[in-house]
Amino acid sequence: MSKSARKSALPAKTHGYEFQGPPGALVLSLGLPLVCYLAAFFCNDVSGCPIPSALHPRSLTLAKVKEEAGWPQNGIWGLASLRVSGFVLAYYLLSLVLQAALPGLVQQGVKLRSGARLEYKFNAFSSAITVLFGAAIGTYLNGADFALWTFIWDNYTQLITVNLGIAFALSCFVYYRSFSVKAGNKHKRELAPGGHSGNLIYDWFIGRELNPRITFPVIGTIDIKAFCELRPGMLGYVLLDLAFVAHQYKLYGFVSDSIILITAFQSVYVFDALWMEPAILSTMDITTDGFGFMLAFGDLVWLPFIYSLQARYLAVYPVHLGLSGVAGVLAVQAFGYWIFRSANNEKNRFRTNPKDPRIAHLQYMKTSSGGTLLTSGWWGFCRHPNYLGDWIMAWSYSLPTGIAGYTVKHGSSVVMSHGDMIDGEGIISGGPVKQQILQGEARGWGMLITYFYVLYFAVLLIHRQMRDEEACKRKYGEDWEKYKEKVRWRLLPGIY
């Protein structure tokens, strides 16, 4: 056996537990799916956002919560549907077929521990355009009643369940299959650095195998992690937003500037990632993390269903920002993007050509490992200025919802026409029973839902910052401590 083959068969050096080890992995595996369901039921078009009982916990009863949350009449079994499962699986199959059938850029990944490189095919952008083109034709012919949009709205919780089931099944499959990784295997399979602790729950969650792949008849070989990273969930994120836009139009006969802004921002985010698909090859998700429940759930459930909560809220309670409101949200987005892009450009230019006139004036320190660390400019302002810009941009996803919260009032004897307004606040929907949607005492409490993304993203970026700095500490040793003395603040100068 060759030296490189023996090396590739050896377990990678572990980096210790993350997420507080097995207990943390168990809590996250159970708790995060629960958050998705709570967001779906506690912010709805049946009783309000949040449900009225949540505002009066002393009078809260399980029966009342079920009524206000729109709990399925057949109980927990109503959270799943064979029909919905079939359509979702067909969507995944379509994603696989498009990856195989459409032309794309073929590129090698970073060098593995064995010295080998895996090959990747990139065409997520053209695949998404193909699906959206079909959706555009359907919308042109059927308007807001296009079957795709009504299917998504009517089966929202079932869609969560199906994708959660797929994430769970994939996690179990790759965990079981990871034990077949052998020395010098011809498929270049390796274990992930942090995924072979020996604890079943933790390794299942974090991912044992680095780049699990599977070969299908006709379709060919698919890298499971790369496929999940940018295909079903990312495109699903946009489809959810568009379904919510269609629902708002169907209810009220207009599309608000707030939901247009959010959908535009989030679509740009998705299509930028799809266009720059080859860039994932250098990300920690691909180079370091194994594929387990953490990534499967994050890609297929958390990202599409949690990131789109603001658009779902606005589908029921439209917010009209006006020119000044739109300008304010755009200013926040532009400010965050300026920091994010300027910081990344500064770093990339320094790495590429330190003599570039645009960054030649920057101060830096040399390390014993041969690397250099910037100590002025954006990277002297704080140690992760790109993350700061990213977080500021996150606010523009939530600000269009304003001071969120609404209550749905039923049962008036007066029948109003579709789309009428009451006092500029409540919205009346037509039919045999009047339904008034107004803020009332729920005003402000809905922000727990619509601004959850901002809080979550802060936690995500802080965790990512801690992982980055742990890696830098291993790489630079004592020089990293000297660097921290020069650049004191991690993300937000004066605070953190």
Side-chain angles (χ1 to χ4, degrees), residues 209-230:
E209 189 170 350
L210 183 62
N211 300 111
R213 295 186 163 205
I214 187 170
T215 301
F216 294 101
V218 182
I219 291 175
T221 299
I222 297 293
D223 186 291
I224 299 175
K225 182 163 65 172
F227 174 80
C228 291
E229 187 85 5
L230 290 178

Side-chain angles (χ1 to χ4, degrees), residues 114-129:
S114 64
R117 295 176 186 268
L118 292 171
E119 198 171 80
Y120 295 83
K121 180 182 179 182
F122 298 116
N123 59 9
F125 185 86
S126 58
S127 297
I129 292 297

Side-chain angles (χ1 to χ4, degrees), residues 57-73:
R58 291 185 178 180
S59 61
L60 189 148
T61 64
L62 181 59
K64 192 66 174 176
V65 169
K66 286 183 175 181
E67 177 188 347
E68 294 177 349
W71 185 253
Q73 292 185 350

Side-chain angles (χ1 to χ4, degrees), residues 25-45:
L26 180 61
V27 169
L28 291 174
S29 299
L30 297 175
L32 293 182
L34 181 61
V35 170
C36 294
Y37 285 113
L38 288 176
F41 283 114
F42 275 65
C43 183
N44 60 58
D45 59 347

Side-chain angles (χ1 to χ4, degrees), residues 345-358:
N345 284 344
E346 189 176 85
K347 178 178 65 175
N348 292 335
R349 286 166 184 159
F350 183 79
R351 285 179 174 178
T352 305
N353 179 17
K355 296 182 180 180
D356 187 319
R358 291 170 291 185

Side-chain angles (χ1 to χ4, degrees), residues 36 39 156 159-160 163 240 300-309:
C36 294
Y156 183 76
L159 289 172
I160 293 176
N163 285 281
L240 284 168
L300 306 179
V301 184
W302 187 262
L303 184 145
F305 291 98
I306 293 297
Y307 284 28
S308 61
L309 284 176

Side-chain angles (χ1 to χ4, degrees), residues 282 339-354 356 358-359 362 372-374 376-380 382-387 468 472 476 483:
S282 60
I339 295 176
F340 174 81
R341 183 50 58 200
S342 298
N344 280 335
N345 284 344
E346 189 176 85
K347 178 178 65 175
N348 292 335
R349 286 166 184 159
F350 183 79
R351 285 179 174 178
T352 305
N353 179 17
D356 187 319
R358 291 170 291 185
I359 49 88
L362 295 178
T372 54
L373 295 169
L374 285 169
S376 67
W378 281 113
W379 299 89
C382 65
R383 300 202 288 266
H384 304 273
N386 52 338
Y387 291 172
D468 290 349
C472 288
Y476 298 116
Y483 167 75

Side-chain angles (χ1 to χ4, degrees), residues 5 60 83 88 118 122 135 144 165 177 179 231 274 342 360 368 381 388 429 482:
L60 189 148
R83 174 174 170 270
V88 172
L118 292 171
F122 298 116
R177 194 164 171 263
F179 290 95
R231 289 178 184 270
L274 298 181
S342 298
S368 57
F381 179 70
L388 174 61
S429 62
K482 296 176 182 178

